[in-house]
Amino acid sequence: MTTPSRPADDSAELLPVATPARTRAALRALIRPDRGLALTGIGVLVAATAVGLLVQPLLGRIVDIVADGRPAGDLTLPVVLLVAVAAVQGVTTTIGLTRVARLGETVLARLREQFVERALDLPADRLERAGAGDLTARVTGDVARVAEAVRSALPEMARSVLAILLTLGALALLDVRFLLAALLAVPVQLLTARWYVRRALTLYADQRVANGAQQQQLLETIGGAVTVRGHRLERQHTERGAGRSRKAVELTMRSVHLVLGFYGRLHIAEYIGLAAVLIAGFWLVRDGAVSIGTATAAALYFHSLFGPVNAALVLLDDAQSAAAGLARLVGVTDLARPAEPVAGKAEPAGGAEPAPVPNQRTGPQRKTGPHRSTGPHRKTGPRQRTAPGAAVAVDAVSHAYGPGRPVLHEVSLTLRPGEHVALVGTSGAGKSTLARIVAGVQQPTAGTVTAPAGAGEPSVVLVTQEVHVFTGSLAEDLRLARPAATGAELRGALSAVHALDWAEALPDGLETVVGEGGHRLDPARAQQLALARLVLADPALAVLDEATAEAGSAGARVLERSAEAALAGRTALIVAHRLTQAVAADRVVVLEAGRVVESGTHDELRDADGPYAALWRAWSGSRTAPHP
């Protein structure tokens, strides 16, 4: 279960934060595969702590030997045993902490992998509503906070809790009255912990939200610097950034004051407990109930609790901060996890039609290289028909990016196996939204999409005009689509999209480092690289969302030839940036205001003198249409 984050402003709808119960359940699920490692680590730490508890009785024995005036030789055995205890405790503590640390790192790695998988599955419109700053703050600050807690707080907390429990047991073995005296400090410590926790969780959660809002403002200001300067908005953006920074600083100072009050209350508890143990020892020794050495051991036991108790309570600071970060990470993983459709769901009372269920995909989708959608699309929502023999069936799909912002209105579309369909229309007609929904990258508000199932290969690949060149060699960039591809297969894919000549002409051929800090690829070559990855992925359905738009006029035809080659032999949905792509398509579908208004071949629609003909005349001007 998740709860929505409180937005930093009215325009943002931040990603949700998991409830404490859901966060604990997620943590248990993360640890479950490594229960053996957890039990072993804790068991070794218990042994190490138990051995360490022999120090105080041995020191008490030495006090008794001196107090009774015994020979110096009687000190040999206690001293040798102290050395042995130190050696054994050191070795076992190292082993136990190592295993606990390994458990923490394993769980942390699993959490990171799940977060990245789920974050990549987030619908594009959901990310746009939240803003890049919120997700960035979770990827950086929250992950770092959880990692810091796992590496430092978790081992120390485990050791401290064990030391506290075993030391209290040792006090009871000496004399239960020592334990009762020590427990006088517990009410103050519990009240302190309760006082702190009740304030810390909300405070740290608010601090995370404020940091996310601050980061979002910085990203917007820096990313839109040209527009900000062009409209003379420097002062407004500076004031807005300063306001969000002041909010973050204010929350940080509140957390500092909270921690100072926390430490002050802990010191009071220490004085109460130590004074009670010393007074109890005085009375017991005077009455002959215990020896001076036993009273000394009891005082040393309680004094040894200062470190573990303070560490455990102080680590609540890290634990609360890490818990707030973990809740934000779990909120993202829960949000992105597709909900399975419920089979045989009863119709609502009164005969009302069931609410539409968004389109869903099976399993986590890793989008590397071209955006990839693996596995069959599930037929969801009230309509579950599939056109006979259809490669893709879109049935009454509607989508809105928010209340009152509809983009698609009950669009129905069928792509036959091997058919190339071009989507055309004016800007804002809903072409890219429909393409992302067909690719499975975005979920519709209503309606169903049925796409082909892949047999071990991705069934759908989406290539957009915004192509990222990953840092690494050109061969590694290509292998994102097929990790086991051979050199011959890489060259074959490049050759298919007419990119092999320039790729082999690079300084180190396919081993040339590209991406940030490497050899720079112009937009046309970066797009050819994405198309080569599509060839390597070999999907049944390819969706191209203005994939040739980044090329200038000189490179447009080259990219169109590359796209035609990459789409050969597969079903394709093409958002046409240039209408020459519509000419070459088997069928043209025209969208206007989120509705299909025309469908047919280029020649049919041009001769029909409808919306497509108007688009064609406006685009082509005096051009002569190439033959399909």
Side-chain angles (χ1 to χ4, degrees):
M1 181 178 180
T2 58
T3 56
S5 298
R6 283 172 289 181
D9 55 43
D10 294 336
S11 62
E13 182 185 336
L14 300 184
L15 297 169
V17 177
T19 61
R22 173 63 196 135
T23 303
R24 290 191 295 271
L27 185 59
R28 288 194 297 270
L30 288 169
I31 296 175
R32 191 173 296 119
D34 297 291
R35 285 174 300 200
L37 182 62
L39 293 175
T40 304
I42 294 175
V44 175
L45 282 179
V46 169
T49 305
V51 170
L53 292 178
L54 297 175
V55 171
Q56 288 82 357
L58 289 172
L59 291 175
R61 179 64 176 168
I62 292 173
V63 169
D64 282 338
I65 290 173
V66 173
D68 293 343
R70 299 179 188 177
D74 290 351
L75 296 173
T76 303
L77 181 58
V79 171
V80 170
L81 290 175
L82 282 173
V83 173
V85 165
V88 173
Q89 185 184 26
V91 172
T92 52
T93 299
T94 300
I95 295 173
L97 290 178
T98 300
R99 297 190 73 81
V100 171
R102 183 180 301 171
L103 171 67
E105 291 295 337
T106 303
V107 170
L108 178 61
R110 190 174 293 124
L111 173 64
R112 281 174 166 163
E113 291 172 359
Q114 288 185 6
F115 181 83
V116 170
E117 280 186 349
R118 306 304 188 211
L120 289 175
D121 265 341
L122 285 176
D125 57 320
R126 186 66 184 86
L127 282 177
E128 289 170 1
R129 294 199 304 272
D134 187 30
L135 186 62
T136 302
R138 298 184 192 222
V139 171
T140 55
D142 292 323
V143 170
R145 179 64 67 182
V146 174
E148 181 182 351
V150 165
R151 290 172 183 147
S152 58
L154 176 63
E156 187 63 29
M157 176 69 83
R159 187 170 63 170
S160 298
V161 171
L162 289 173
I164 293 168
L165 295 176
L166 294 179
T167 301
L168 292 176
L171 277 172
L173 289 176
L174 291 179
D175 193 295
V176 71
R177 287 167 286 189
F178 285 126
L179 175 60
L180 295 176
L183 291 179
L184 291 177
V186 172
V188 179
Q189 292 168 335
L190 291 179
L191 289 174
T192 299
R194 182 185 178 191
W195 172 84
Y196 176 77
V197 169
R198 292 178 63 181
R199 289 162 176 78
L201 188 58
T202 302
L203 178 58
Y204 284 122
D206 290 343
Q207 194 174 357
R208 292 283 179 272
V209 172
N211 289 338
Q214 180 190 33
Q215 198 160 12
Q216 174 68 22
Q217 182 60 48
L218 289 174
L219 288 172
E220 290 177 351
T221 301
I222 295 172
V226 175
T227 303
V228 170
R229 287 195 295 268
H231 290 273
R232 298 289 189 268
L233 298 174
E234 295 94 334
R235 175 177 294 180
Q236 292 93 320
H237 275 255
T238 300
E239 291 176 352
R240 196 176 303 161
R244 294 187 177 181
S245 296
R246 282 193 297 270
K247 179 67 173 178
V249 170
E250 176 189 344
L251 291 171
T252 300
M253 293 308 300
R254 284 176 54 191
S255 68
V256 170
H257 288 299
L258 182 66
V259 171
L260 290 176
F262 178 68
Y263 282 131
R265 287 167 170 79
L266 287 184
H267 293 326
I268 295 173
E270 291 173 359
Y271 297 146
I272 292 173
L274 184 57
V277 170
L278 290 174
I279 292 171
F282 171 79
W283 287 105
L284 291 173
V285 171
R286 193 188 69 170
D287 294 341
V290 299
S291 66
I292 296 176
T294 301
T296 301
L300 291 174
Y301 269 139
F302 186 82
H303 189 272
S304 70
L305 283 175
F306 284 9
V309 169
N310 287 347
L313 294 177
V314 167
L315 286 174
L316 285 174
D317 180 61
D318 293 334
Q320 293 302 313
S321 181
L326 182 60
R328 284 162 55 83
L329 297 179
V330 173
V332 172
T333 64
D334 283 352
L335 176 68
R337 182 180 294 111
E340 296 294 336
V342 179
K345 184 175 179 180
E347 185 172 309
E353 184 179 7
V357 180
N359 183 41
Q360 300 169 5
R361 291 169 287 151
T362 56
Q365 312 299 317
R366 297 179 182 271
K367 301 177 188 65
T368 55
H371 296 290
R372 180 179 299 183
S373 174
T374 59
H377 285 240
R378 295 183 181 271
K379 296 174 289 182
T380 58
R383 303 171 181 85
Q384 309 214 358
R385 302 187 301 269
T386 302
V392 179
V394 179
D395 188 10
V397 162
S398 299
H399 187 72
Y401 286 104
R405 296 173 57 196
V407 178
L408 297 175
H409 304 272
E410 296 192 355
V411 173
S412 294
L413 177 65
T414 299
L415 278 71
R416 295 182 294 273
E419 184 182 25
H420 291 183
V421 174
L423 281 179
V424 301
T426 58
S427 179
K431 305 184 299 295
S432 294
T433 300
L434 181 58
R436 290 199 297 265
I437 289 173
V438 171
V441 175
Q442 192 158 306
Q443 297 177 351
T445 305
T448 64
V449 176
T450 304
E457 297 291 344
S459 62
V460 184
V461 167
L462 169 67
V463 180
T464 70
Q465 69 182 78
E466 299 173 356
V467 176
H468 182 71
V469 178
F470 294 85
T471 301
S473 70
L474 185 67
E476 291 172 342
D477 205 303
L478 287 167
R479 286 194 175 98
L480 290 169
R482 183 183 293 178
T486 64
E489 289 173 328
L490 299 183
R491 287 177 171 80
L494 290 169
S495 177
V497 297
H498 313 292
L500 183 59
D501 290 343
W502 66 255
E504 291 186 330
L506 294 174
D508 297 314
L510 268 64
E511 297 305 317
T512 301
V513 175
V514 294
E516 187 174 354
H519 187 87
R520 180 180 174 82
L521 299 181
D522 61 41
R525 289 183 174 182
Q527 196 64 260
Q528 283 182 306
L529 186 60
L531 292 171
R533 288 198 292 258
L534 185 151
V535 173
L536 285 169
D538 194 23
L541 170 66
V543 179
L544 269 59
D545 184 6
E546 298 188 351
T548 63
E550 286 297 314
S553 299
R557 185 54 190 158
V558 173
L559 271 187
E560 287 175 7
R561 288 175 55 232
S562 299
E564 290 171 6
L567 297 179
R570 66 182 95 253
T571 308
L573 181 66
I574 306 159
V575 177
H577 175 71
R578 291 176 171 84
L579 291 189
T580 50
Q581 295 173 294
V583 175
D586 299 315
R587 184 156 49 101
V588 180
V589 173
V590 183
L591 287 181
E592 271 191 7
R595 291 181 171 87
V596 176
V597 294
E598 280 189 310
S599 178
T601 66
H602 163 76
D603 291 335
E604 291 170 348
L605 297 183
R606 183 190 57 187
D607 295 340
D609 200 25
Y612 178 79
L615 287 173
W616 175 257
R617 286 193 298 269
W619 182 83
S620 61
S622 60
R623 295 185 182 92
T624 300
H627 293 292

